[in-house]
Amino acid sequence: MMHRKPVLAGVSIAAAAFFAPQFAAAQTAAAPEVSPLTANVTLTSLYKYRGQDQDILKDGGSNFKTSAFKPAIQGGFDYAHESGFYFGNWNSSVNWLDGNSIESDLYGGYKFKAGVLDFDVGVLGYLYAGNTAGNTVELYGAMGYTSEAVGTFTFKYSHTVSDDYFNYAGNSGGSGLKGTNTGYFNLAYTKEIVPKLTLKVAGGYTHMSSDIRSLGYKSYWDYSVGASYDFGAGLSLAGMVQGATEGSSYEVTGDNGETLNPNKARFVVALTKTF
C-alpha cells in the first residue's frame, strides 16, 4: 500500500521587484507550494501481497491461474496535511474471491518525528465490494530511520481487528472461527546505489490467528528483493523477486488437475506514475 506524504516547499516572494520595478527581471518568481494531494497509477505484471498472488481464479473459480504473468492495474490518491495527519485510497484489480474483481483500500493515520526517527500510526481497511467475505481491518504502527550514507530502514507491524483475515477463517460463512489478532511484521530497506537507481529489500512474517492455523494454514515468511529506476517527472520502473515460505499449506488444485502455489517466487515488473 502506497503512502506518500509530500513535503511542503518554501515560497520565495519577490518583494523587491514590487518596490523597484527596474530590478524585476533579476528577481526569482514565487515558487508554488507542493500540493498536499497526490495520486498514483501502476501497471504491474503480477500483484503479490505479503508474498501471495492476488489473481488466481479462472473458469468461474473451478480452476486456477498458474502463470507468472497476471497483469493488474492499480492506483489511488493520498492527502497529507502539514500537521502530519493523512488519509488515502488505493485500488487494484484482483481475482481471488468469487464475484469480486477489485480491492479498495481506505486508510488514515498520523506521521511524526521524534529525534532521528520517523513514526507512522494508522488504520487500514481492505474492502472487496463484490464479496465482502474478504473484508479486513488492521491497525498499524511503523518506525523508520534514514541516513544519507546508510539508507532507510523501516519496521512496521499490522494487527488485525476485524472478525476475519482475508476470509482465511471463513467467518462470514458461519465457520465460527476468527482471524482477529493475526499479526504482520515487516522490515524494509531502501538505498540509492547510483543516481536514480534505488535498491529495495523487504522481509515480512505473517502470524496467523490460532483459529486460522487450526484449519492447516501455517504462519509464513515473505520476501521482496529488487530495485527501481526513477525516470523523473513522477515516472519509475521497478523489478523485484517476490515470494513466501510454507507454500504447501496454501496450495490449491483445480478441477483440471493443475496446482497453484500462490506463495511461489515470481519476478514482478511494475511501471508507476505519480502526480
Side-chain angles (χ1 to χ4, degrees), residues 4 16 122 160 174 178 244:
R4 290 184 175 84
T160 303
K178 289 190 174 184

Side-chain angles (χ1 to χ4, degrees), residues 197-211:
L197 182 65
T198 301
L199 172 69
K200 296 186 175 184
V201 180
Y205 181 73
T206 300
H207 180 69
M208 293 294 193
S209 71
S210 58
D211 282 355

Side-chain angles (χ1 to χ4, degrees), residues 38-77:
T38 59
N40 59 84
V41 61
T42 296
L43 181 62
T44 181
S45 63
L46 173 66
Y47 174 27
K48 266 189 178 290
Y49 186 61
R50 295 178 180 171
Q52 300 186 317
D53 293 6
Q54 301 298 297
D55 182 3
I56 65 173
L57 299 179
K58 70 176 181 179
D59 301 339
S62 61
N63 291 306
F64 302 93
K65 299 178 181 178
T66 59
S67 171
F69 181 69
K70 293 176 280 191
I73 185 167
Q74 306 170 333
F77 73 89

Side-chain angles (χ1 to χ4, degrees), residues 20-42:
Q22 63 272 29
F23 298 117
Q27 304 305 312
T28 301
E33 289 188 352
V34 175
S35 172
L37 184 65
T38 59
N40 59 84
V41 61
T42 296

Side-chain angles (χ1 to χ4, degrees), residues 8 10 13 15 40 51 54 62 66 72 79 82 90 93 116 129 133 152 167 189 198 211 260 262:
L8 295 179
I13 302 177
N40 59 84
Q54 301 298 297
S62 61
T66 59
Y79 177 84
E82 59 184 2
W90 185 84
S93 56
V116 297
T152 298
N167 198 36
Y189 171 73
T198 301
D211 282 355
L260 169 69

Side-chain angles (χ1 to χ4, degrees), residues 1 47-54 103 105 124-126 128 136-141 156-160 164-166 168 179 182-186 202-208 218-224 242-245 250 262-264:
M1 311 309 158
Y47 174 27
K48 266 189 178 290
Y49 186 61
R50 295 178 180 171
Q52 300 186 317
D53 293 6
Q54 301 298 297
E103 172 189 329
D105 301 345
L124 168 60
Y126 308 82
Y128 302 89
T136 302
V137 179
E138 295 179 333
L139 302 179
Y140 60 84
K156 183 176 182 179
Y157 174 70
S158 302
H159 189 83
T160 303
D164 209 337
Y165 176 79
F166 300 110
Y168 274 115
T182 293
Y184 180 67
F185 303 83
N186 180 265
Y205 181 73
T206 300
H207 180 69
M208 293 294 193
K218 295 182 180 180
S219 299
Y220 68 93
W221 295 90
D222 69 87
Y223 52 87
S224 177
Q242 296 179 316
T245 63
Y250 295 91
N263 293 18
K264 184 178 180 179

Side-chain angles (χ1 to χ4, degrees), residues 213-233:
R213 283 183 279 118
S214 74
L215 296 172
Y217 296 110
K218 295 182 180 180
S219 299
Y220 68 93
W221 295 90
D222 69 87
Y223 52 87
S224 177
V225 180
S228 66
Y229 185 83
D230 182 4
F231 293 98

